[in-house]
Amino acid sequence: MINLFKMDFHRFVRNKTMYLLLLIYSAFQIFGVFMMSLYEEPMAETGTLISKMNASEFIQSVLSQTPSWMLLYIMVFTIYFYISELNSGYYKNYITMKHARIHSVVSKIIMQAFFTLLMLATLIISDFIGRYLFLDNSSIGDLGFFLKLLSSQFLLQWAFSVLILCVAMITKKMLVSLIVGFVFALNIFGMILSSLESVLFDKAYVSDYLLVNTIMRIKDFNDLNELIVVLGIGLVSLIIFITIATTYKLKEDLK
Amino acid sequence: MSGAIIELKGLTKQFKMKTAVHKASFKINKGDIFGLIGQNGAGKSTLLKMIGGLLYPTSGDIHFFNEASDKNQLYFERMGLLIESPGLYPAYTAYQNLNLMMIAYGIKNSNEEINKLLQLVGLENEKKLKVKEFSMGMKQRLGIAIALLGSPDVLILDEPINGLDPHGIKEVRELILELNKNGLTIIISSHILEELSKVATQYAIIHEGKIMETISKDELLLKCEERIELEIDDAKEVTPVLEETLNIKHYKVNDQNTIYIYDSQVENHQIVKHLSAKGIAIHSISKHKQGLEQYFLERTGREAAYSDQFI
Ligand SMILES: Nc1ncnc2c1ncn2[C@@H]1O[C@H](COP(=O)(O)OP(=O)(O)O)[C@@H](O)[C@H]1O
Ligand SMILES: [Mg+2]
């Protein structure tokens, strides 16, 4: 386990595409804050001015925008990291090791956790720089709230990356999994279901508990119930997708 | 004596519409160079992928050290694979590709070992070159180097000479013989019997997913050796003439009516002349030579000829 993990980690840190993704994301993020500072309007939902938001409020508003760039980047990385190994056939070199199949999947999932963490860190740092430079605001707000926001977002986004891993494993093709990944990252199912439910029942039953809907919804972490629900959705999704990914890999016929 | 290291029992792989391997059963002994021979599409790669743990059999078992493979996964760890195309990262150099597997095996101080392997497969001057710049033959050799990493007990090479030039073929052949000398069991597939015959000690002929025959090198050579087949009434009358008059030492009495003569000096007409002089009747005499390739074609054509009768 440790060794296959080290192998993937070696590939991870040497992966220039990953640094490029982070760099581009950071640049767009800072540029985005700059654009917001030029055309400042109160947020539709809360009515708060962007320049008056603390870090938590700002990040929540960024993550609630469609399309969710964060999800798109995580999706691209996950597919790239998995499919490039699959296409190279490198797995053939280690498949005869003990528990190789399960270890290789777990190791991919851990790499995705690293990438999700790096994306969150990039988001925080870039927003901080942007807000400091263009909005003259560097307040973090309530630290407890901020940490609850980050940890639950990490859990949710990581679970999303495992969902995408399942897509890549099952489709086995770069292009197909990117297309399916886009559909998930743009939350097309979630939006359809939400609008169906609001038209038919005037109320959300299932759609509020969908993973991507939960990622994009603005949440009140001061409400303990809401925190528990959000963490629960993250944890349950993570367990379901990890189970699918490992079961699939254990049964998969490899080329 | 060296016993079986791998045993297949009724191994079958069914793809949706196609039975790629059908009830394959045979043993591979420790220290063998086991040649799997079959035409394109015969099921060689599919069979090797099942042994290598890439594909799951639809039915049947693979036994390692007389234990079913699923109970004894550990064994797989000591098996090097090169099946179909070598698994290499195109953006990595030869050195980096090997180094990554060293990490996976947890081998420290890998530099020396990597250089040794690169030298073994003749890539020591290309170690800084990215794999995407490699020729097919170079990739194949790097694939062998990776398969050898971690000192496996069993090496599986699926058509390893594909894409190699005659010089490369010779090098791989010498490498295989060298590795086998040190006790490595090697399973190697090819569609060219002539090439396999230069290394293999044991053969299995596969045709349309079925194992047609398993045969040792000695048996095969005997069957393919040039010989004169002599049909007579009583072999006992004939042998003294062969030995004393014609001075033939190398012959075999197949049964009472047939004798095989392996002496290549003697001509048919000499035999006829001397036997006739002794009043021995010859029912038939024929020179018999079967090339390896012809032998193989006969085994793999059998199935086709058989099914023709039912059309
Ligand atoms: N994944 C697969 N799905 C369906 N058919 C397959 C698959 N892999 C191989 N086959 C079929 O099985 C047969 C044997 O293939 P293979 O084992 O690659 O033969 P060989 O290696 O002897 O050329 C071929 O007819 C091939 O088309
Ligand atoms: Mg093949």
Side-chain angles (χ1 to χ4, degrees), chain A residues 90 92-93 96 250 253-254, chain B residues 13 56 76-77 85 87 97:
Chain A
Y90 203 84
K92 286 191 269 190
N93 302 322
T96 60
L250 278 177
D253 269 348
L254 295 165
Chain B
K13 183 67 192 183
Y56 290 110
F76 276 138
E77 280 192 83
S85 53
N97 266 292

Side-chain angles (χ1 to χ4, degrees), chain A:
Chain A
M1 169 75 216
I2 295 292
N3 289 333
L4 279 189
F5 165 79
K6 279 188 190 157
M7 180 188 81
D8 272 338
F9 189 70
H10 187 88
R11 208 156 67 82
F12 179 77
V13 293
R14 261 145 224 265
N15 189 340
K16 294 195 190 85
T17 313
M18 179 196 70
Y19 296 111
L20 197 68
L21 284 177
L22 292 177
L23 207 68
I24 295 172
Y25 182 66
S26 171
F28 269 102
Q29 212 50 52
I30 295 173
F31 181 72
V33 181
F34 171 66
M35 291 303 283
M36 282 182 222
S37 73
L38 293 184
Y39 310 101
E40 190 177 17
E41 277 176 43
M43 287 299 290
E45 283 183 48
T46 51
T48 323
L49 277 175
I50 287 169
S51 56
K52 298 285 172 291
M53 286 179 176
N54 63 32
S56 296
E57 290 168 326
F58 191 84
I59 284 173
Q60 290 230 64
S61 84
V62 168
L63 291 178
S64 69
Q65 282 159 18
T66 316
S68 168
W69 289 103
M70 181 115 172
L71 291 183
L72 287 169
Y73 280 75
I74 289 176
M75 182 237 357
V76 169
F77 168 80
T78 301
I79 291 173
Y80 173 83
F81 199 75
Y82 179 77
I83 299 278
S84 57
E85 182 186 86
L86 187 74
N87 283 348
S88 75
Y90 203 84
Y91 59 86
K92 286 191 269 190
N93 302 322
Y94 64 73
I95 198 73
T96 60
M97 290 182 179
K98 197 178 181 184
H99 306 313
R101 286 173 183 252
I102 202 121
H103 288 179
S104 80
V105 175
V106 173
S107 149
K108 299 288 177 301
I109 293 172
I110 295 173
M111 293 309 130
Q112 289 162 211
F114 284 149
F115 186 73
T116 307
L117 278 177
L118 284 176
M119 281 296 291
L120 275 173
T122 309
L123 172 72
I124 295 164
I125 295 167
S126 312
D127 281 351
F128 200 80
I129 295 172
R131 286 166 62 235
Y132 178 78
L133 289 179
F134 307 119
L135 301 174
D136 201 20
N137 181 349
S138 53
S139 72
I140 292 180
D142 178 23
L143 196 63
F145 190 100
F146 187 62
L147 290 178
K148 279 187 259 181
L149 166 67
L150 291 184
S151 45
S152 57
Q153 275 297 343
F154 166 70
L155 190 65
L156 293 166
Q157 311 251 0
W158 185 27
F160 172 79
S161 81
V162 185
L163 166 67
I164 297 298
L165 178 66
C166 293
V167 169
M169 283 172 70
I170 292 166
T171 66
K172 300 187 193 347
K173 300 252 177 356
M174 185 83 82
L175 195 63
V176 181
S177 41
L178 281 173
I179 292 168
V180 179
F182 264 110
V183 172
F184 278 115
L186 298 180
N187 196 24
I188 292 176
F189 295 130
M191 288 195 299
I192 292 174
L193 195 66
S194 297
S195 42
L196 268 182
E197 282 192 330
S198 71
V199 169
L200 294 178
F201 313 111
D202 233 9
K203 187 176 181 307
Y205 288 98
V206 189
S207 49
D208 267 2
Y209 300 98
L210 289 182
L211 179 63
V212 182
N213 275 349
T214 311
I215 290 174
M216 298 183 71
R217 182 157 36 90
I218 290 185
K219 296 163 282 275
D220 179 9
F221 291 104
N222 289 325
D223 179 351
L224 187 64
N225 269 341
E226 178 144 21
L227 178 66
I228 290 172
V229 168
V230 168
L231 289 179
I233 291 171
L235 216 55
V236 169
S237 313
L238 193 63
I239 290 168
I240 290 174
F241 298 139
I242 289 179
T243 310
I244 294 175
T246 46
T247 320
Y248 186 84
K249 184 53 94 182
L250 278 177
K251 296 198 173 142
E252 189 184 19
D253 269 348
L254 295 165
K255 275 203 294 179

Side-chain angles (χ1 to χ4, degrees), chain B residues 197-215:
Chain B
S197 71
K198 290 174 185 155
V199 291
T201 57
Q202 192 75 32
Y203 301 84
I205 297 175
I206 183 169
H207 183 60
E208 292 179 354
K210 299 195 185 82
I211 300 292
M212 310 302 287
E213 184 172 25
T214 50
I215 183 170

Side-chain angles (χ1 to χ4, degrees), chain B residues 45 84 158-159:
Chain B
S45 300
E84 285 186 340
D158 184 23
E159 313 226 17

